[in-house]
Amino acid sequence: MFNPSSDDVRRFFCETFRKQRANQILTPLETMASDWIRHHPEYHDVLSDVETALTRDYQVDGAQANPFLHLSMHLSIDEQISIDQPPGIRALATELTLKRDDAHAAQHDIMECLGEMIWNAQRTGTPPDGLAYIDAIKRRL
């Protein structure tokens, strides 16, 4: 199982952004990441500087979101939708996209639910609750 470090994730997104700007060939995963990077121009400055990206600390109570966590969550949701895991997420994502008329906005709604599920699992020391996650997405509809 692949378990990248925080630095690995940051390097991946910075390298993907560099390759995207240089019009270089991207791997399939880099192509997915580059699509989300395009949706987040507010992250381009940090993605342009690998050394700063590796040393910057994003605290939970800080004023700025962690761009690497945010982009990683987009990729996680893409993967969940592609394999329909947890079951039903693909149909809900489609329905939410139609309702919002914006796939990016729909992903942000799903991301809120994903973050809540992860937070609850960490807080209670229990495995992530896929059913609660699906229910939270349904409430967004």
Side-chain angles (χ1 to χ4, degrees):
M1 183 175 215
F2 185 60
N3 188 18
S5 69
S6 175
D7 285 355
D8 293 335
V9 171
R10 290 172 185 222
R11 281 188 187 96
F12 167 77
F13 284 111
C14 290
E15 178 64 8
T16 297
F17 185 57
R18 184 197 66 73
K19 287 172 70 175
Q20 176 188 36
R21 288 184 308 167
N23 291 318
Q24 293 180 329
I25 295 172
L26 302 172
T27 68
L29 184 58
E30 288 170 338
T31 298
M32 290 171 61
S34 71
D35 289 342
W36 291 116
I37 289 168
R38 279 189 202 97
H39 279 90
H40 289 284
E42 69 274 21
Y43 299 155
H44 291 181
D45 284 345
V46 72
L47 294 171
S48 296
D49 183 353
V50 177
E51 294 310 311
T52 299
L54 292 174
T55 58
R56 180 121 187 227
D57 187 22
Y58 295 94
Q59 295 294 322
V60 173
D61 58 353
Q64 186 181 22
N66 181 331
F68 305 100
L69 174 60
H70 187 88
L71 293 168
S72 294
M73 289 179 78
H74 273 302
L75 291 179
S76 294
I77 293 166
D78 278 349
E79 177 69 10
Q80 291 170 0
I81 292 167
S82 76
I83 63 172
D84 198 30
Q85 189 59 263
I89 193 166
R90 181 183 298 140
L92 290 171
T94 299
E95 191 175 345
L96 194 54
T97 297
L98 291 171
K99 177 184 177 193
R100 297 291 304 260
D101 194 29
D102 183 343
H104 188 218
Q107 271 236 355
H108 278 217
D109 284 343
I110 295 168
M111 191 178 296
E112 289 290 323
C113 300
L114 176 60
E116 180 182 331
M117 177 189 66
I118 293 168
W119 181 81
N120 282 329
Q122 290 174 335
R123 184 177 54 84
T124 62
T126 58
D129 185 345
L131 293 176
Y133 177 39
I134 291 296
D135 286 342
I137 297 168
K138 286 178 182 176
R139 286 192 298 275
R140 297 285 177 142
L141 293 169

